[in-house]
Amino acid sequence: MRQYFTTVFQFSILTVGLYIIGIFIWGSIPYSYIGSNFLYRQGSYGHLNTRVKEILKYGEVDILFVGSSRVYRGFDPRIFENHGLKIFVLGSSGQTPLQSYVLLTRYMDNLNPKLVVIDLLPSSFAIKGVEPTLDLLANDRIDKLSLEMAFEQNDLMVWNTLIYASIMDAIGKHDDFEESIHKPLNNDTYIMGGYVHKDPNFQKEVEICEKEKSEKWHEPLDVQLAYFKKMISLLERSKKKFVFINMPIAHYNCFTNNDILERYIPESIPYFDFNKLLEFKDSTDFYDKFHLNVNGVQKLDSFLLNDLSFLSHIKTEN
Amino acid sequence: MLFHTIEFLYFIVAFFVLYWFIFKKNLKGQNILILIASYVFYGWWDWRFLSLIALSTVVDYVIGIKISKSTSKHNSKILLWISIIFNIGMLGFFKYFNFFIENFALLLESIGFEAHQTTLNIILPVGISFYTFQTLSYTIDVYREKIKPTSDFISFAAFVSFFPQLVAGPIERASHLLPQFYRERKFDYLLAVDGSKQILWGLFSKVVIADKSGEIANLIFNNSSNLHGSSLILGAIFFAFQIYGDFAGYSHIAIGVSRLLGFDLMQNFAFPYFSRDIAEFWRRWHISLSTWFRDYLYIPLGGSKGGTGLKVRNTFVIFLVSGFWHGANWTFIFWGFLNALYFLPLLLTNKNKTNTDTVSAEWFFPSFVDFSKIIGTFLLTCFAWIFFRAENIGHAFQYITGIFYNTTSLDPFFNPGVLGNIYFTLVLIAFFLISEWFGRHGQFGIQRLFIDNKRIVRWSYYSVLVFFIMIYYQIDRSPFIYFQF
């Protein structure tokens, strides 16, 4: 028996070593990610690679917006700049509270915002968030928070990608990637300050909400609620002002439980549900179900800049 | 509880510790532990199924004893028939009730009668096709006086429910497995290493070969009416590897786990895709089932003795029953029928026992003749697998028709991602076949592979297998195909 366990142990050591080498080789093979538990894709949808590199040179901001693609496609720094406000949009595709916590921990001090605005998307609370974790592993720094994300998700794809990203980081290749500002295939252009501008001519069919087709948001997962609470603690400890928002969506009235997250928001924290505060038209303000088009962005950002209850949370220079 | 899940890993580790450390020199304790663990394992699927296996166990235990105590051959025969009717009846009800009702109704309607169908929402208990055959082999062998009945109920119940082979075989014979429950089991290092290697090979066969091939086979079969012939040929080939990797993979894991516990199970697959003719294929594919049918159906019917008419009849009976055993669908029956057609010429020309040795045993590569035979046999089995995989007979014939419609190119339906997946999977299948080819002298692919090389070479190869298992293991895991039988 002892000989068997010794053999198994020795084999395991060899296998772990060869496994790490194997991951490194695997990552170097084109298209190896197809159908496999590995996805190290730098320069993916949300321009996260460019965004996090920009932070280190960006300086301090008035408002920091945090959330998923709804956020980085919803707040245009140029509109705020015209009103004397400097903003940064810290988001990634499909971002959940787990990744929001990680990004805030990493970059809030660099940006030192007067106000942090966090988007609460119900579906982001109801998923594990493997894809946004992979996005962060491939496009952001590798540190102990990366390990924390891997432990939380406990997913083979995440672990394999983390191993590869760590090796790339160790050999100095992780930060080599230069992301294109303009991505014609996606009709996207990255704007300094974290905004991703969608070509105005791009339009998907936006379903007009019909009440008969009612849906429900799924219940939040415990892990996401835990990180939501960690985010609140982090902000409170750092003595930052922060508010929660619910970004507009095209088929808001289709959902019967839009207030699903409200019971988790502490009463002392302001909450702005833009679907109730403003009137958005499905057919003219959105380019798809979840994202504002240029008209919608203009409408939302202008509203914020004129809304006294929102502006009272920050000092303006006007 | 699937073999390739984290739950099974926890289960087997806990079991292993209890088995070899707590109940180390306590044979009865080990058998009780096996019985409890097997019922936990089986009940994990659905606790309601436990009553069926318990009932089957009690009935055949009692009948075995009564047969041996019977002084009259007539009474023994009656008892045997009770066992047969009970086990086949149970299998027939759960597996075939709706099939017979639906087809009887169709038959009545075809001759002008209106039939009101009453089908039941019957859940098929996992593994019922396997353990009923296993217990039947016990009562039949007791009747034939090949073995003595056991009075040790715990050992018998453990034999019936032995978890490594309970839900998908190998279908063990009482004469081979039951005595192992009476013998003290000592931990054997070489047996454990062999078992570990076989588990590794089984996991690779299932997680990498079967599941990767299955992704593409499912895509093609589910869209077969829109695809070109070359794609359909590819679909049949991928299914051939899906079913082989899946079923052989399960058997390897079952046998490997048993070896870790000091048990020896029968070989269930012996490199069937290197067969040189169909007869050889059926000696190498699902060996435990084909030998069961040979010993308990084919030979009692007369086997290959007697005239041509008898041989033809018996061959068709065996293959049709074998097809029907797989499921309540005309596709399985047709698959069996097709295999009977393949087999008959060999039988009638007395060429069904020509290829009994290891193919190209003395050679590194197969000879041109052997290679041609292997390819020919493989293509015949692939053709038959189309019926096995198709949803129904109509789908199977539509699929086959499609193969001849257009064989010029792959479909534009396959985007770069799918094509990439296809190429990767073909490389993996090539790796798998090469490993099996060079390991064909053993009982499974990697048993004797690199056996004469240094340990570092063998272990590096095994590490490559581990790597691919981890790279391709899917959380949303696909169950083993043969669980549905």
Side-chain angles (χ1 to χ4, degrees):
Chain A
M1 183 76 76
R2 179 181 277 183
Q3 188 185 6
Y4 177 72
F5 283 121
T6 306
T7 304
V8 169
F9 178 73
Q10 290 169 346
F11 174 69
S12 302
I13 301 293
L14 177 72
T15 299
V16 166
L18 290 178
Y19 189 83
I20 292 169
I21 295 170
I23 288 287
F24 181 63
I25 296 171
W26 189 255
S28 315
I29 300 172
Y31 304 109
S32 61
Y33 59 84
I34 296 174
S36 74
N37 291 323
F38 176 83
L39 188 63
Y40 180 85
R41 284 182 82 173
Q42 294 194 306
S44 45
Y45 297 118
H47 289 260
L48 181 65
N49 195 286
T50 307
R51 188 174 290 111
V52 295
K53 281 175 180 161
E54 192 190 3
I55 288 173
L56 301 173
K57 302 172 275 191
Y58 200 70
E60 297 184 350
V61 302
D62 294 303
I63 310 173
L64 174 63
F65 291 95
V66 179
S68 65
S69 54
R70 300 202 304 179
V71 167
Y72 67 66
R73 294 187 188 278
F75 297 104
D76 189 338
R78 297 169 295 187
I79 297 173
F80 286 83
E81 193 180 17
N82 289 341
H83 288 75
L85 289 173
K86 189 178 181 187
I87 72 163
F88 193 86
V89 186
L90 186 58
S92 62
S93 183
Q95 188 163 303
T96 72
L98 169 60
Q99 291 84 32
S100 294
Y101 169 77
V102 168
L103 288 171
L104 273 173
T105 307
R106 284 176 179 163
Y107 298 113
M108 191 165 61
D109 288 345
N110 287 100
L111 294 164
N112 195 23
K114 295 188 180 78
L115 175 68
V116 180
V117 180
I118 301 156
D119 179 34
L120 304 183
L121 171 59
S123 63
S124 72
F125 279 70
I127 56 171
K128 267 180 75 175
V130 168
E131 282 195 38
T133 293
L134 295 170
D135 195 10
L136 258 68
L137 290 177
N139 293 290
D140 197 4
R141 64 173 76 148
I142 302 299
D143 57 17
K144 63 179 184 188
L145 285 167
S146 312
L147 200 58
E148 183 176 337
M149 282 194 293
F151 272 109
E152 280 299 340
Q153 314 242 269
N154 202 24
D155 184 278
L156 260 179
M157 198 181 269
V158 170
W159 283 112
N160 289 336
T161 307
L162 175 61
I163 292 169
Y164 185 77
S166 302
I167 296 171
M168 294 296 273
D169 193 45
I171 62 175
K173 295 270 187 201
H174 184 61
D175 294 328
D176 279 357
F177 181 76
E178 290 282 338
E179 185 172 29
S180 173
I181 298 297
H182 184 55
K183 292 184 179 174
L185 279 177
N186 298 334
N187 298 284
D188 285 339
T189 304
Y190 181 82
I191 304 297
M192 284 189 61
Y195 174 62
V196 177
H197 171 86
K198 182 69 92 182
D199 188 320
N201 296 321
F202 179 85
Q203 184 67 44
K204 278 185 175 177
E205 194 173 322
V206 179
E207 258 178 44
I208 307 297
C209 172
E210 292 166 23
K211 268 287 194 205
E212 292 75 28
K213 289 186 192 173
S214 64
E215 298 177 59
K216 278 188 174 184
W217 296 107
H218 292 294
E219 289 290 323
L221 299 179
D222 289 342
V223 60
Q224 298 299 353
L225 285 173
Y227 274 91
F228 178 60
K229 285 178 189 159
K230 282 180 87 164
M231 212 175 9
I232 293 173
S233 298
L234 173 70
L235 289 161
E236 285 172 346
R237 279 197 317 272
S238 64
K239 296 186 172 32
K240 294 288 179 202
K241 283 186 182 173
F242 61 100
V243 301
F244 293 122
I245 62 173
N246 186 10
M247 289 291 283
I249 54 171
H251 51 309
Y252 181 76
N253 292 326
C254 272
F255 289 92
T256 59
N257 62 342
N258 279 307
D259 304 330
I260 192 172
L261 293 179
E262 282 191 18
R263 63 182 183 267
Y264 302 107
I265 302 172
E267 278 183 24
S268 58
I269 303 171
Y271 173 58
F272 298 82
D273 185 345
F274 294 128
N275 295 282
K276 292 176 181 169
L277 293 171
L278 272 179
E279 211 175 293
F280 288 92
K281 271 195 176 158
D282 293 359
S283 55
T284 57
D285 293 328
F286 297 90
Y287 75 75
D288 69 18
K289 282 199 299 194
F290 282 103
H291 303 103
L292 294 166
N293 60 19
V294 173
N295 290 339
V297 170
Q298 184 68 47
K299 188 184 275 185
L300 176 66
D301 293 1
S302 300
F303 168 79
L304 274 184
L305 286 162
N306 289 301
D307 183 77
L308 291 174
S309 62
F310 178 79
L311 292 175
S312 65
H313 296 288
I314 55 168
K315 284 182 186 173
T316 65
E317 289 181 9
N318 282 351
Chain B
M1 205 190 300
L2 296 171
F3 275 170
H4 56 309
T5 61
I6 204 81
E7 293 86 13
F8 183 74
L9 179 64
Y10 294 150
F11 172 86
I12 197 64
V13 166
F15 180 84
F16 186 89
V17 168
L18 288 170
Y19 186 82
W20 286 119
F21 290 96
I22 309 297
F23 295 98
K24 193 173 164 181
K25 286 182 178 163
N26 184 344
L27 180 64
K28 186 154 188 153
Q30 282 184 333
N31 288 344
I32 292 172
L33 181 66
I34 288 173
L35 179 60
I36 294 171
S38 299
Y39 271 63
V40 166
F41 178 83
Y42 194 58
W44 206 274
W45 297 96
D46 191 325
W47 60 269
R48 295 170 295 178
F49 296 162
L50 291 172
S51 56
L52 293 174
I53 193 172
L55 191 60
S56 183
T57 302
V58 169
V59 165
D60 287 327
Y61 171 76
V62 169
I63 286 178
I65 292 173
K66 284 194 178 301
I67 287 175
S68 73
K69 286 182 177 170
S70 171
T71 51
S72 146
K73 200 69 182 170
H74 174 72
N75 288 345
S76 297
K77 205 169 206 174
I78 291 173
L79 288 164
L80 175 65
W81 273 106
I82 292 172
S83 172
I84 291 172
I85 290 167
F86 174 79
N87 282 296
I88 300 295
M90 197 167 67
L91 180 63
F93 174 75
F94 283 98
K95 201 165 174 177
Y96 303 110
F97 179 85
N98 287 336
F99 174 80
F100 283 119
I101 293 293
E102 284 160 9
N103 283 278
F104 187 64
L106 280 170
L107 180 66
L108 285 178
E109 281 165 10
S110 69
I111 56 173
F113 287 98
E114 203 179 303
H116 296 285
Q117 293 184 47
T118 306
T119 52
L120 302 175
N121 188 19
I122 301 172
I123 303 168
L124 179 64
V126 171
I128 192 169
S129 307
F130 293 89
Y131 69 74
T132 48
F133 272 38
Q134 187 151 310
T135 56
L136 260 181
S137 80
Y138 169 76
T139 48
I140 295 172
D141 284 352
V142 168
Y143 173 79
R144 287 176 176 176
E145 295 177 13
K146 275 187 71 179
I147 55 168
K148 290 202 179 322
T150 181
S151 55
D152 182 349
F153 182 74
I154 298 292
S155 293
F156 181 73
F159 152 75
V160 173
S161 63
F162 191 44
F163 72 86
Q165 44 94 239
L166 173 61
V167 294
I171 302 170
E172 276 291 337
R173 303 300 175 85
S175 56
H176 181 241
L177 182 56
L178 193 51
Q180 296 182 60
F181 285 90
Y182 308 142
R183 289 196 292 264
E184 188 191 333
R185 295 179 284 273
K186 285 185 186 162
F187 184 84
D188 181 275
Y189 171 76
L190 291 175
L191 199 65
V193 166
D194 218 43
S196 303
K197 281 160 55 174
Q198 197 158 8
I199 291 168
L200 178 61
W201 189 241
L203 285 172
F204 180 80
S205 301
K206 164 59 180 169
V207 169
V208 181
I209 301 302
D211 288 354
K212 291 299 294 172
S213 300
E215 276 173 33
I216 300 159
N218 288 342
L219 183 68
I220 293 172
F221 272 86
N222 293 343
N223 295 281
S224 56
S225 55
N226 301 322
L227 298 177
H228 291 166
S230 52
S231 308
L232 299 178
I233 292 171
L234 211 54
I237 292 171
F238 276 118
F239 180 71
F241 283 100
Q242 179 191 4
I243 195 159
Y244 178 45
D246 192 285
F247 195 17
Y250 181 92
S251 292
H252 290 316
I253 298 171
I255 296 167
V257 168
S258 302
R259 285 192 162 140
L260 282 178
L261 308 178
F263 284 89
D264 176 50
L265 298 185
M266 67 180 293
Q267 187 183 21
N268 213 15
F269 290 86
F271 311 98
Y273 286 157
F274 297 148
S275 300
R276 290 155 285 187
D277 58 52
I278 282 294
E280 186 182 11
F281 177 82
W282 283 106
R283 282 195 297 278
R284 293 175 176 278
W285 179 275
H286 202 178
I287 298 167
S288 64
L289 181 70
S290 51
T291 53
W292 197 101
F293 278 127
R294 180 198 64 200
D295 294 343
Y296 299 113
L297 191 59
Y298 187 66
I299 289 174
L301 285 175
S304 54
K305 295 175 184 153
T308 302
L310 206 65
K311 285 184 190 178
V312 171
R313 183 200 72 174
N314 293 343
T315 300
F316 273 104
V317 166
I318 286 301
F319 279 104
L320 287 173
V321 170
S322 177
F324 199 44
W325 176 91
H326 283 83
N329 195 321
W330 287 106
T331 51
F332 296 118
I333 295 170
F334 198 89
W335 169 77
F337 172 77
L338 205 51
N339 275 283
L341 287 181
Y342 290 163
F343 185 82
L344 264 178
L346 294 169
L347 178 68
L348 297 176
T349 56
N350 287 320
K351 286 183 180 162
N352 57 310
K353 288 178 186 169
T354 48
N355 295 310
T356 55
D357 57 339
T358 302
V359 58
S360 300
E362 306 297 321
W363 302 94
F364 207 65
F365 292 115
S367 65
F368 178 76
V369 170
D370 278 346
F371 182 73
S372 306
K373 288 179 181 176
I374 288 168
I375 295 299
T377 306
F378 178 71
L379 290 175
L380 283 174
T381 57
C382 277
F383 184 81
W385 283 136
I386 292 171
F387 290 90
F388 198 92
R389 172 58 180 81
E391 301 292 323
N392 49 55
I393 291 285
H395 182 209
F397 280 109
Q398 171 258 309
Y399 194 100
I400 290 164
T401 310
I403 287 175
F404 298 103
Y405 172 67
N406 183 0
T407 56
T408 50
S409 63
L410 281 178
D411 278 276
F413 175 83
F414 294 140
N415 59 43
V418 172
L419 274 178
N421 212 6
I422 288 174
Y423 295 139
F424 265 103
T425 308
L426 285 172
V427 169
L428 290 168
I429 289 173
F431 173 81
F432 174 74
L433 284 174
I434 291 168
S435 299
E436 288 233 309
W437 175 260
F438 289 110
R440 68 194 184 283
H441 298 280
Q443 287 196 335
F444 56 93
I446 60 172
Q447 187 183 40
R448 298 190 57 76
L449 197 61
F450 301 121
I451 205 78
D452 297 323
N453 295 89
K454 288 192 172 149
R455 183 181 261 196
I456 187 72
V457 173
R458 284 199 304 282
W459 283 16
S460 299
Y461 173 82
Y462 302 154
S463 297
V464 170
L465 299 182
V466 170
F467 175 80
F468 279 118
I469 291 168
M470 300 298 273
I471 273 292
Y472 285 119
Y473 178 78
Q474 289 300 310
I475 294 294
D476 300 324
R477 53 206 68 99
S478 54
F480 288 89
I481 295 177
Y482 265 69
F483 283 6
Q484 64 186 299
F485 307 138

